[in-house]
Amino acid sequence: MYRYTDTDQRLVDDRVARFRDQMERFLAGHLGEDEFRPLRLQNGLYIQRHAPMLRVAIPYGTLSAVQLRKLAHIARRYDRGYGHFTTRSNIQFNWVRLADAPEILAELATVQMHAIQTSGNCIRNITTDPFAGVAADELFDPRPACEIVRQWSALAPEFQFLPRKFKIAFAGGAEDRAALRFHDIGAAARLSESGEPGFEIFVGGGLGRTPMVGQRLKAFLPRAELLNYFEAILRVYNRHGRRDNKYKARIKILVKDLGLEAFAREVDDEWAWRRGGPNTIDDTVFAAMEACFAGPAAPPAPAAADEAPADPAYARWLARNVASHRQPGRAVVTLSLKAPGVPPGDATAEQMEGIAALAERFGAGEIRVSHEQNLVLPQVARAELPAVWAAARALGLATPTVGLLPDLVCCPGGDFCALANARSIPVAAAIQQRFDDLDYLFDLGPLELNLSGCVNACGHHHIGHIGILGVDKNNQEWFQITLGGREGTRAALGKVIGPSFAAAQVPDVIARLLETYVALRHEDEPFIDAVERLGLEPFRVAVYGEAHAPRH
């Protein structure tokens, strides 16, 4: 991992001291609510439906065991004993006291963490593939580039007041595990014909009330020019992005209005002024940063010869929660935060402490946060997998459904969020309760279900194979269903199948969709591929009936 320099630490400490003073002045009545609002948001502090919420940055989803223990301590001392891991690879504490926020930030600073730029119209947390640095299909590790961009964008004055928030993601493998095409900027690792490392750049993606798939802006950008090119994009956006209407202020709207070719010309004109300039990244800078992310030096202990596990529960966990590692003898383990009856993405203080101990014992002290709201141990020796499984099972973190229907993504919804139209957590719980037969789930195969409580799409419902969106109808909670969304290299937005449903109807609707898939699928055909082949019509008929199925 990257470790703070003295300059990094001083910046974070100074920020804490400044916010402590601002909080004291607000509580004393010397700052009004309108004056204080932007100050608290700049430090990740929101006012939600029931209590203040603090969002803590986890840069590119990477945590140390020490940091995770600190988060557990904060959950126990300042919250209600748990935290919520988000689709942006951050963690949220939903029940903090306003007056405690500066002290929480001070505690975070002792382990090189903060809440800077987790809100506001600025460059938000940089995200990447949770398997970065260990994926078998990786061209090169994107985390050094993530950290370079994080440092460049942190508190950069020019980009603190953009037209709207701005999200950047990186991926290093042939498979896109970072949803690149749904970010303002997505950067995919590529090698030139001569073997030079660089990135394919996508721009103008995003979800929310106007979802769009990002478009390729540049087929190959040498990595040395990363900051110069990003700065050119941001300057064009800062200059031309709309500030009169927040619903039309994201860069995706600008790209759509100008057209990709015109936008690209603007960016190239701007880039021409800074190409090769002071922000050009020298190979020595990349080499120094890459050294920060070197994996364990010692080879893992040899694993026993592969044989079929005797315990079927362990076999299921191996099949769904363990992924290939680029280094023979190691594996990547996903710890599921989707146990039945628990809000997706929630982890208790005890679980966080247990994961920290697991990481130290089995995983080089490192933990990753995925945008699917699970945690990952990226450096597990294959010989240790039985012990990891047993420990994860004892912590309630071994649900063997990663990538299957119950591994659903869900925002906090109306139980917490002041913006939500509907409560998403009870619907998620009802779906998990209804579909709990592991034999059936394994037969269904890979299936991504995403729920959002409102059009802001924090649950990424647009890119779920099945998406569920909470809507308000006459002050009642209803849920709209979409089909056909997907992330990755074949990115697509889901399409609405028809009128919305009451919460109690949703599990039955999902059951009809699955029954239709099972009846019509080809052999070994995943759900999403069947939807693409069949179109929406058979699913609409199954849900609404022949006479009432909407026609499009």
Side-chain angles (χ1 to χ4, degrees):
M1 290 178 61
Y2 175 78
R3 306 293 180 185
Y4 278 11
T5 64
D6 290 343
T7 301
D8 295 322
Q9 190 64 54
R10 188 165 59 250
L11 184 151
V12 172
D13 290 342
D14 288 350
R15 184 77 175 211
V16 172
R18 188 179 306 119
F19 186 58
R20 192 187 297 277
D21 175 68
Q22 292 164 347
M23 179 66 78
E24 289 172 356
R25 286 189 286 145
F26 172 70
L27 294 176
H30 301 313
L31 284 176
E33 176 57 43
D34 289 343
E35 295 172 296
F36 184 62
R37 184 181 298 109
L39 302 178
R40 65 171 169 78
L41 289 173
Q42 288 169 5
N43 289 277
L45 189 60
Y46 290 72
I47 305 300
Q48 295 285 67
R49 191 178 295 271
H50 304 296
M53 178 271 282
L54 182 67
R55 181 183 294 148
V56 177
I58 303 176
Y60 37 92
T62 297
L63 283 166
S64 70
V66 171
Q67 290 172 328
L68 188 56
R69 281 201 180 87
K70 177 60 73 174
L71 295 177
H73 163 73
I74 288 168
R76 183 178 288 115
R77 179 173 178 182
Y78 298 101
D79 203 277
R80 294 187 176 181
Y82 71 96
H84 174 73
F85 289 95
T86 77
T87 54
R88 292 290 304 157
S89 302
N90 294 316
I91 187 170
Q92 294 180 177
F93 295 105
N94 288 313
W95 298 98
V96 299
R97 292 176 61 248
L98 196 68
D100 286 339
E103 193 57 37
I104 296 172
L105 294 176
E107 293 218 30
L108 289 169
T110 66
V111 293
Q112 303 187 358
M113 297 188 76
H114 60 76
I116 297 168
Q117 293 183 199
T118 59
S119 179
N121 295 334
C122 56
I123 299 172
R124 299 288 188 90
N125 189 34
I126 311 298
T127 59
T128 192
D129 179 355
F131 295 177
V134 299
D137 68 339
E138 193 168 75
L139 293 176
F140 57 85
D141 188 347
R143 291 175 300 163
C146 290
E147 177 58 29
I148 289 169
V149 172
R150 185 200 68 79
Q151 293 183 21
W152 163 78
S153 64
L155 299 177
E158 185 176 358
F159 305 133
Q160 286 296 293
F161 299 96
L162 295 167
R164 199 73 173 88
K165 58 189 174 183
F166 202 91
K167 300 175 181 180
I168 300 173
F170 285 83
E175 183 182 345
D176 173 12
R177 287 175 289 266
L180 290 182
R181 291 159 180 80
F182 297 102
H183 286 74
D184 298 289
I185 295 177
R190 297 289 182 264
L191 297 175
S192 70
E193 292 182 1
S194 62
E196 176 190 8
F199 295 92
E200 181 180 10
I201 305 299
F202 298 88
V203 70
L207 301 176
R209 67 179 59 236
T210 312
M212 295 184 188
V213 179
Q215 302 178 69
R216 187 171 75 177
L217 185 63
K218 197 162 194 63
F220 182 81
L221 177 75
R223 67 176 186 173
E225 287 295 316
L226 196 62
L227 299 184
N228 293 326
Y229 197 73
F230 279 15
E231 188 171 275
I233 293 172
L234 279 152
R235 285 198 167 179
V236 171
Y237 173 50
N238 217 2
R239 189 158 59 239
H240 298 296
R242 293 185 61 171
R243 298 176 189 270
D244 62 322
N245 185 337
K246 72 175 184 178
Y247 302 120
K248 297 182 178 181
R250 295 293 293 270
I251 194 173
K252 60 189 176 185
I253 303 298
L254 177 62
V255 174
K256 180 177 181 293
D257 287 349
L258 288 180
L260 183 64
E261 289 186 9
F263 181 83
R265 284 196 299 272
E266 292 274 354
V267 170
D268 285 342
D269 287 348
E270 187 68 42
W271 184 35
W273 288 96
R274 43 197 31 82
R275 187 170 186 174
N279 276 337
T280 304
I281 310 167
D282 191 83
D283 283 346
T284 58
V285 174
F286 273 107
M289 195 61 75
E290 285 162 358
C292 297
F293 295 97
D306 288 339
E307 3 181 290
D311 188 328
Y314 177 54
R316 281 175 165 151
W317 181 79
L318 283 176
R320 297 309 318 174
N321 296 41
V322 177
S324 298
H325 194 290
R326 67 186 309 164
Q327 184 178 357
R330 294 193 188 276
V332 184
V333 172
T334 296
L335 301 172
S336 172
L337 299 184
K338 311 295 173 61
V342 178
D346 280 9
T348 66
E350 292 75 19
Q351 285 176 319
M352 286 189 259
E353 288 170 339
I355 295 165
L358 273 176
E360 287 177 331
R361 182 179 173 190
F362 300 113
E366 184 180 352
I367 306 101
R368 309 281 181 83
V369 184
S370 74
H371 72 273
E372 293 90 358
Q373 299 176 287
N374 291 314
L375 299 183
V376 174
L377 299 178
Q379 299 285 2
V380 177
R382 297 199 73 87
E384 304 283 9
L385 286 174
V388 172
W389 172 66
R393 202 178 189 190
L395 290 167
L397 300 169
T399 307
T401 56
V402 171
L404 303 180
L405 176 64
D407 187 30
L408 44 79
V409 172
C410 180
C411 72
D415 287 304
F416 298 95
C417 181
L419 300 176
N421 295 317
R423 293 171 298 159
S424 49
I425 292 173
V427 175
I431 292 170
Q432 289 180 321
Q433 184 177 9
R434 174 70 172 271
F435 302 100
D436 62 353
D437 182 331
L438 287 174
D439 289 334
Y440 178 63
L441 294 169
F442 271 67
D443 177 67
L444 286 175
L447 204 164
E448 298 174 8
L449 191 151
N450 295 46
L451 296 86
S452 298
C454 74
V455 294
N456 289 299
C458 293
H460 295 180
H461 66 277
H462 297 294
I463 59 174
H465 301 166
I466 300 174
I468 304 176
L469 167 65
V471 296
D472 183 312
K473 290 177 64 173
N474 301 317
N475 295 318
Q476 298 291 319
E477 295 182 1
W478 289 73
F479 294 87
Q480 187 181 82
I481 308 295
T482 58
L483 283 180
R486 70 190 306 167
E487 54 183 291
T489 55
R490 295 166 60 191
L493 297 166
K495 297 178 181 178
V496 178
I497 65 170
S500 53
F501 303 91
Q505 297 174 296
V506 172
D508 288 337
V509 172
I510 302 301
R512 293 190 201 110
L513 296 174
L514 298 179
E515 289 163 4
T516 304
Y517 159 61
V518 170
L520 300 177
R521 65 183 172 181
H522 290 164
E523 186 176 358
D524 297 326
E525 183 180 35
F527 178 88
I528 184 60
D529 290 351
V531 171
E532 289 185 354
R533 176 178 59 84
L534 295 165
L536 298 189
E537 194 59 25
F539 297 96
R540 286 178 174 141
V541 170
V543 169
Y544 298 102
E546 185 71 46
H548 301 287
R551 299 292 189 263
H552 293 272

Short mmCIF file of all heavy atoms in Angstrom, two decimals, residues 334-379:
data_model
loop_
_atom_site.label_atom_id
_atom_site.label_comp_id
_atom_site.label_asym_id
_atom_site.label_seq_id
_atom_site.Cartn_x
_atom_site.Cartn_y
_atom_site.Cartn_z
N THR A 334 -13.24 -13.62 -1.65
CA THR A 334 -14.26 -12.60 -1.39
C THR A 334 -15.03 -12.98 -0.13
O THR A 334 -15.56 -14.09 -0.02
CB THR A 334 -15.23 -12.47 -2.57
OG1 THR A 334 -14.51 -12.01 -3.72
CG2 THR A 334 -16.33 -11.47 -2.26
N LEU A 335 -15.06 -12.06 0.82
CA LEU A 335 -15.84 -12.21 2.05
C LEU A 335 -17.19 -11.56 1.82
O LEU A 335 -17.28 -10.35 1.60
CB LEU A 335 -15.11 -11.55 3.22
CG LEU A 335 -13.70 -12.09 3.51
CD1 LEU A 335 -13.01 -11.24 4.56
CD2 LEU A 335 -13.76 -13.55 3.95
N SER A 336 -18.22 -12.36 1.84
CA SER A 336 -19.55 -11.88 1.47
C SER A 336 -20.19 -11.07 2.60
O SER A 336 -20.29 -11.53 3.74
CB SER A 336 -20.46 -13.06 1.13
OG SER A 336 -21.80 -12.63 0.96
N LEU A 337 -20.63 -9.86 2.26
CA LEU A 337 -21.42 -9.04 3.19
C LEU A 337 -22.90 -9.13 2.82
O LEU A 337 -23.65 -8.15 2.93
CB LEU A 337 -20.95 -7.58 3.13
CG LEU A 337 -19.50 -7.33 3.53
CD1 LEU A 337 -19.19 -5.82 3.52
CD2 LEU A 337 -19.17 -7.93 4.89
N LYS A 338 -23.33 -10.31 2.39
CA LYS A 338 -24.71 -10.51 1.93
C LYS A 338 -25.38 -11.66 2.68
O LYS A 338 -26.20 -12.39 2.11
CB LYS A 338 -24.72 -10.77 0.43
CG LYS A 338 -23.91 -9.79 -0.41
CD LYS A 338 -24.47 -8.39 -0.37
CE LYS A 338 -23.54 -7.40 -1.08
NZ LYS A 338 -23.31 -7.68 -2.49
N ALA A 339 -25.06 -11.83 3.94
CA ALA A 339 -25.72 -12.87 4.73
C ALA A 339 -27.22 -12.58 4.80
O ALA A 339 -27.62 -11.41 4.93
CB ALA A 339 -25.13 -12.95 6.13
N PRO A 340 -28.07 -13.59 4.72
CA PRO A 340 -29.52 -13.35 4.79
C PRO A 340 -29.90 -12.59 6.06
O PRO A 340 -29.38 -12.87 7.15
CB PRO A 340 -30.10 -14.77 4.81
CG PRO A 340 -29.07 -15.62 4.15
CD PRO A 340 -27.75 -15.01 4.53
N GLY A 341 -30.79 -11.62 5.89
CA GLY A 341 -31.27 -10.85 7.03
C GLY A 341 -30.41 -9.67 7.41
O GLY A 341 -30.74 -8.93 8.35
N VAL A 342 -29.29 -9.47 6.71
CA VAL A 342 -28.39 -8.35 7.00
C VAL A 342 -28.40 -7.40 5.81
O VAL A 342 -28.27 -7.83 4.66
CB VAL A 342 -26.95 -8.85 7.25
CG1 VAL A 342 -26.01 -7.67 7.51
CG2 VAL A 342 -26.93 -9.82 8.42
N PRO A 343 -28.56 -6.09 6.03
CA PRO A 343 -28.53 -5.16 4.90
C PRO A 343 -27.25 -5.31 4.08
O PRO A 343 -26.15 -5.35 4.67
CB PRO A 343 -28.60 -3.78 5.57
CG PRO A 343 -29.33 -4.03 6.86
CD PRO A 343 -28.86 -5.40 7.30
N PRO A 344 -27.35 -5.43 2.77
CA PRO A 344 -26.15 -5.61 1.94
C PRO A 344 -25.12 -4.51 2.17
O PRO A 344 -25.44 -3.32 2.18
CB PRO A 344 -26.71 -5.55 0.51
CG PRO A 344 -28.13 -6.02 0.65
CD PRO A 344 -28.59 -5.47 1.97
N GLY A 345 -23.88 -4.93 2.37
CA GLY A 345 -22.78 -3.99 2.58
C GLY A 345 -22.51 -3.65 4.02
O GLY A 345 -21.51 -3.00 4.32
N ASP A 346 -23.37 -4.08 4.95
CA ASP A 346 -23.15 -3.77 6.36
C ASP A 346 -22.17 -4.76 6.98
O ASP A 346 -22.21 -5.97 6.71
CB ASP A 346 -24.46 -3.84 7.14
CG ASP A 346 -25.31 -2.59 6.98
OD1 ASP A 346 -24.96 -1.74 6.12
OD2 ASP A 346 -26.32 -2.45 7.70
N ALA A 347 -21.30 -4.24 7.85
CA ALA A 347 -20.38 -5.08 8.62
C ALA A 347 -20.34 -4.55 10.04
O ALA A 347 -20.22 -3.34 10.27
CB ALA A 347 -18.98 -5.08 8.01
N THR A 348 -20.43 -5.46 11.01
CA THR A 348 -20.36 -5.04 12.41
C THR A 348 -18.92 -4.77 12.81
O THR A 348 -17.97 -5.19 12.14
CB THR A 348 -20.94 -6.13 13.33
OG1 THR A 348 -20.09 -7.29 13.26
CG2 THR A 348 -22.36 -6.51 12.92
N ALA A 349 -18.77 -4.11 13.96
CA ALA A 349 -17.43 -3.84 14.48
C ALA A 349 -16.70 -5.16 14.73
O ALA A 349 -15.50 -5.29 14.43
CB ALA A 349 -17.52 -3.03 15.77
N GLU A 350 -17.41 -6.16 15.24
CA GLU A 350 -16.79 -7.46 15.50
C GLU A 350 -16.35 -8.12 14.19
O GLU A 350 -15.27 -8.72 14.14
CB GLU A 350 -17.77 -8.36 16.25
CG GLU A 350 -18.08 -7.94 17.68
CD GLU A 350 -19.01 -6.73 17.76
OE1 GLU A 350 -19.71 -6.44 16.76
OE2 GLU A 350 -19.03 -6.07 18.82
N GLN A 351 -17.16 -8.01 13.16
CA GLN A 351 -16.76 -8.58 11.86
C GLN A 351 -15.55 -7.86 11.30
O GLN A 351 -14.63 -8.50 10.77
CB GLN A 351 -17.93 -8.51 10.89
CG GLN A 351 -19.03 -9.53 11.16
CD GLN A 351 -20.21 -9.36 10.23
OE1 GLN A 351 -20.64 -8.24 9.93
NE2 GLN A 351 -20.74 -10.48 9.75
N MET A 352 -15.53 -6.55 11.40
CA MET A 352 -14.38 -5.80 10.88
C MET A 352 -13.11 -6.18 11.61
O MET A 352 -12.04 -6.36 11.00
CB MET A 352 -14.64 -4.29 10.97
CG MET A 352 -15.63 -3.77 9.94
SD MET A 352 -15.74 -1.96 9.90
CE MET A 352 -17.22 -1.68 10.83
N GLU A 353 -13.19 -6.34 12.92
CA GLU A 353 -12.01 -6.77 13.67
C GLU A 353 -11.60 -8.19 13.27
O GLU A 353 -10.40 -8.49 13.15
CB GLU A 353 -12.31 -6.71 15.17
CG GLU A 353 -12.39 -5.28 15.69
CD GLU A 353 -12.91 -5.17 17.11
OE1 GLU A 353 -13.59 -6.13 17.57
OE2 GLU A 353 -12.65 -4.14 17.75
N GLY A 354 -12.59 -9.05 13.06
CA GLY A 354 -12.28 -10.41 12.61
C GLY A 354 -11.63 -10.43 11.25
O GLY A 354 -10.69 -11.21 11.00
N ILE A 355 -12.10 -9.59 10.34
CA ILE A 355 -11.51 -9.52 9.00
C ILE A 355 -10.08 -8.99 9.08
O ILE A 355 -9.18 -9.47 8.37
CB ILE A 355 -12.37 -8.64 8.08
CG1 ILE A 355 -13.74 -9.28 7.86
CG2 ILE A 355 -11.68 -8.40 6.74
CD1 ILE A 355 -14.78 -8.34 7.27
N ALA A 356 -9.85 -8.00 9.94
CA ALA A 356 -8.49 -7.48 10.11
C ALA A 356 -7.55 -8.59 10.57
O ALA A 356 -6.42 -8.71 10.08
CB ALA A 356 -8.50 -6.32 11.10
N ALA A 357 -8.03 -9.41 11.51
CA ALA A 357 -7.20 -10.53 12.00
C ALA A 357 -6.96 -11.55 10.88
O ALA A 357 -5.85 -12.07 10.73
CB ALA A 357 -7.88 -11.18 13.19
N LEU A 358 -8.00 -11.82 10.09
CA LEU A 358 -7.84 -12.73 8.95
C LEU A 358 -6.80 -12.21 7.98
O LEU A 358 -5.96 -12.96 7.47
CB LEU A 358 -9.18 -12.89 8.23
CG LEU A 358 -10.16 -13.97 8.70
CD1 LEU A 358 -11.45 -13.89 7.90
CD2 LEU A 358 -9.54 -15.34 8.54
N ALA A 359 -6.89 -10.90 7.68
CA ALA A 359 -5.96 -10.31 6.72
C ALA A 359 -4.53 -10.40 7.22
O ALA A 359 -3.61 -10.69 6.44
CB ALA A 359 -6.34 -8.84 6.46
N GLU A 360 -4.33 -10.18 8.49
CA GLU A 360 -2.97 -10.25 9.04
C GLU A 360 -2.45 -11.70 9.04
O GLU A 360 -1.28 -11.93 8.77
CB GLU A 360 -2.96 -9.69 10.46
CG GLU A 360 -3.08 -8.17 10.47
CD GLU A 360 -3.15 -7.61 11.86
OE1 GLU A 360 -3.65 -8.30 12.78
OE2 GLU A 360 -2.75 -6.44 12.05
N ARG A 361 -3.33 -12.63 9.33
CA ARG A 361 -2.89 -14.03 9.42
C ARG A 361 -2.72 -14.67 8.06
O ARG A 361 -1.77 -15.43 7.82
CB ARG A 361 -3.89 -14.82 10.26
CG ARG A 361 -3.50 -16.28 10.45
CD ARG A 361 -4.51 -17.02 11.30
NE ARG A 361 -4.21 -18.45 11.35
CZ ARG A 361 -5.04 -19.37 11.85
NH1 ARG A 361 -6.20 -18.99 12.37
NH2 ARG A 361 -4.69 -20.64 11.84
N PHE A 362 -3.63 -14.34 7.13
CA PHE A 362 -3.66 -15.07 5.87
C PHE A 362 -3.46 -14.20 4.62
O PHE A 362 -3.26 -14.75 3.54
CB PHE A 362 -5.01 -15.79 5.71
CG PHE A 362 -5.32 -16.78 6.78
CD1 PHE A 362 -6.36 -16.56 7.66
CD2 PHE A 362 -4.58 -17.95 6.89
CE1 PHE A 362 -6.66 -17.49 8.65
CE2 PHE A 362 -4.87 -18.88 7.87
CZ PHE A 362 -5.92 -18.65 8.77
N GLY A 363 -3.55 -12.87 4.75
CA GLY A 363 -3.63 -12.05 3.55
C GLY A 363 -2.72 -10.86 3.48
O GLY A 363 -3.07 -9.83 2.88
N ALA A 364 -1.52 -10.94 4.07
CA ALA A 364 -0.53 -9.86 3.99
C ALA A 364 -1.05 -8.55 4.56
O ALA A 364 -0.56 -7.47 4.21
CB ALA A 364 -0.07 -9.66 2.54
N GLY A 365 -2.07 -8.62 5.41
CA GLY A 365 -2.57 -7.43 6.08
C GLY A 365 -3.37 -6.49 5.22
O GLY A 365 -3.58 -5.33 5.58
N GLU A 366 -3.88 -6.98 4.09
CA GLU A 366 -4.55 -6.09 3.13
C GLU A 366 -5.98 -6.55 2.87
O GLU A 366 -6.27 -7.75 2.79
CB GLU A 366 -3.77 -6.08 1.81
CG GLU A 366 -4.33 -5.11 0.78
CD GLU A 366 -3.53 -5.14 -0.52
OE1 GLU A 366 -2.46 -5.79 -0.56
OE2 GLU A 366 -3.98 -4.51 -1.48
N ILE A 367 -6.88 -5.58 2.74
CA ILE A 367 -8.29 -5.83 2.44
C ILE A 367 -8.71 -4.90 1.32
O ILE A 367 -8.25 -3.75 1.25
CB ILE A 367 -9.19 -5.56 3.68
CG1 ILE A 367 -8.70 -6.36 4.89
CG2 ILE A 367 -10.65 -5.88 3.36
CD1 ILE A 367 -7.90 -5.55 5.88
N ARG A 368 -9.57 -5.38 0.44
CA ARG A 368 -10.14 -4.53 -0.62
C ARG A 368 -11.66 -4.42 -0.44
O ARG A 368 -12.30 -5.33 0.10
CB ARG A 368 -9.86 -5.13 -2.00
CG ARG A 368 -8.41 -5.49 -2.25
CD ARG A 368 -7.55 -4.30 -2.60
NE ARG A 368 -6.17 -4.73 -2.86
CZ ARG A 368 -5.73 -5.21 -4.01
NH1 ARG A 368 -6.57 -5.33 -5.04
NH2 ARG A 368 -4.47 -5.57 -4.17
N VAL A 369 -12.21 -3.33 -0.91
CA VAL A 369 -13.66 -3.11 -0.92
C VAL A 369 -14.11 -3.12 -2.38
O VAL A 369 -13.58 -2.38 -3.21
CB VAL A 369 -14.04 -1.77 -0.27
CG1 VAL A 369 -15.57 -1.62 -0.20
CG2 VAL A 369 -13.42 -1.63 1.11
N SER A 370 -15.10 -3.96 -2.69
CA SER A 370 -15.59 -4.04 -4.07
C SER A 370 -16.82 -3.15 -4.24
O SER A 370 -17.54 -2.87 -3.27
CB SER A 370 -15.95 -5.48 -4.44
OG SER A 370 -17.16 -5.88 -3.82
N HIS A 371 -17.09 -2.74 -5.49
CA HIS A 371 -18.29 -1.93 -5.70
C HIS A 371 -19.56 -2.77 -5.64
O HIS A 371 -20.66 -2.24 -5.67
CB HIS A 371 -18.21 -1.13 -7.02
CG HIS A 371 -18.36 -1.95 -8.25
ND1 HIS A 371 -17.29 -2.57 -8.86
CD2 HIS A 371 -19.44 -2.26 -9.02
CE1 HIS A 371 -17.70 -3.21 -9.95
NE2 HIS A 371 -19.01 -3.05 -10.06
N GLU A 372 -19.39 -4.09 -5.50
CA GLU A 372 -20.54 -4.95 -5.23
C GLU A 372 -20.82 -5.07 -3.73
O GLU A 372 -21.64 -5.87 -3.31
CB GLU A 372 -20.31 -6.35 -5.80
CG GLU A 372 -20.25 -6.41 -7.32
CD GLU A 372 -18.85 -6.23 -7.87
OE1 GLU A 372 -17.92 -6.02 -7.05
OE2 GLU A 372 -18.65 -6.31 -9.10
N GLN A 373 -20.12 -4.26 -2.92
CA GLN A 373 -20.34 -4.19 -1.47
C GLN A 373 -19.91 -5.45 -0.74
O GLN A 373 -20.55 -5.88 0.21
CB GLN A 373 -21.81 -3.87 -1.16
CG GLN A 373 -22.29 -2.54 -1.73
CD GLN A 373 -23.77 -2.32 -1.48
OE1 GLN A 373 -24.60 -2.96 -2.12
NE2 GLN A 373 -24.10 -1.43 -0.58
N ASN A 374 -18.81 -6.04 -1.17
CA ASN A 374 -18.18 -7.13 -0.46
C ASN A 374 -16.75 -6.73 -0.12
O ASN A 374 -16.24 -5.72 -0.63
CB ASN A 374 -18.17 -8.42 -1.30
CG ASN A 374 -19.56 -9.01 -1.47
OD1 ASN A 374 -20.33 -9.12 -0.51
ND2 ASN A 374 -19.90 -9.40 -2.69
N LEU A 375 -16.09 -7.51 0.73
CA LEU A 375 -14.69 -7.28 1.05
C LEU A 375 -13.86 -8.42 0.48
O LEU A 375 -14.35 -9.55 0.33
CB LEU A 375 -14.49 -7.17 2.57
CG LEU A 375 -15.26 -6.02 3.24
CD1 LEU A 375 -14.94 -5.97 4.72
CD2 LEU A 375 -14.94 -4.68 2.59
N VAL A 376 -12.61 -8.13 0.17
CA VAL A 376 -11.76 -9.08 -0.55
C VAL A 376 -10.42 -9.20 0.17
O VAL A 376 -9.82 -8.20 0.56
CB VAL A 376 -11.54 -8.60 -2.00
CG1 VAL A 376 -10.54 -9.49 -2.72
CG2 VAL A 376 -12.87 -8.56 -2.76
N LEU A 377 -9.96 -10.44 0.33
CA LEU A 377 -8.59 -10.72 0.76
C LEU A 377 -7.80 -11.12 -0.48
O LEU A 377 -8.03 -12.19 -1.05
CB LEU A 377 -8.56 -11.87 1.77
CG LEU A 377 -9.34 -11.65 3.08
CD1 LEU A 377 -9.27 -12.89 3.96
CD2 LEU A 377 -8.82 -10.43 3.83
N PRO A 378 -6.88 -10.26 -0.94
CA PRO A 378 -6.27 -10.50 -2.25
C PRO A 378 -5.02 -11.37 -2.26
O PRO A 378 -4.48 -11.65 -3.32
CB PRO A 378 -5.92 -9.08 -2.72
CG PRO A 378 -5.63 -8.35 -1.45
CD PRO A 378 -6.53 -8.94 -0.40
N GLN A 379 -4.54 -11.78 -1.09
CA GLN A 379 -3.24 -12.46 -1.05
C GLN A 379 -3.28 -13.71 -0.18
O GLN A 379 -2.50 -13.88 0.75
CB GLN A 379 -2.17 -11.49 -0.51
CG GLN A 379 -1.95 -10.25 -1.33
CD GLN A 379 -1.16 -10.50 -2.61
OE1 GLN A 379 -0.80 -11.63 -2.92
NE2 GLN A 379 -0.88 -9.45 -3.37
#
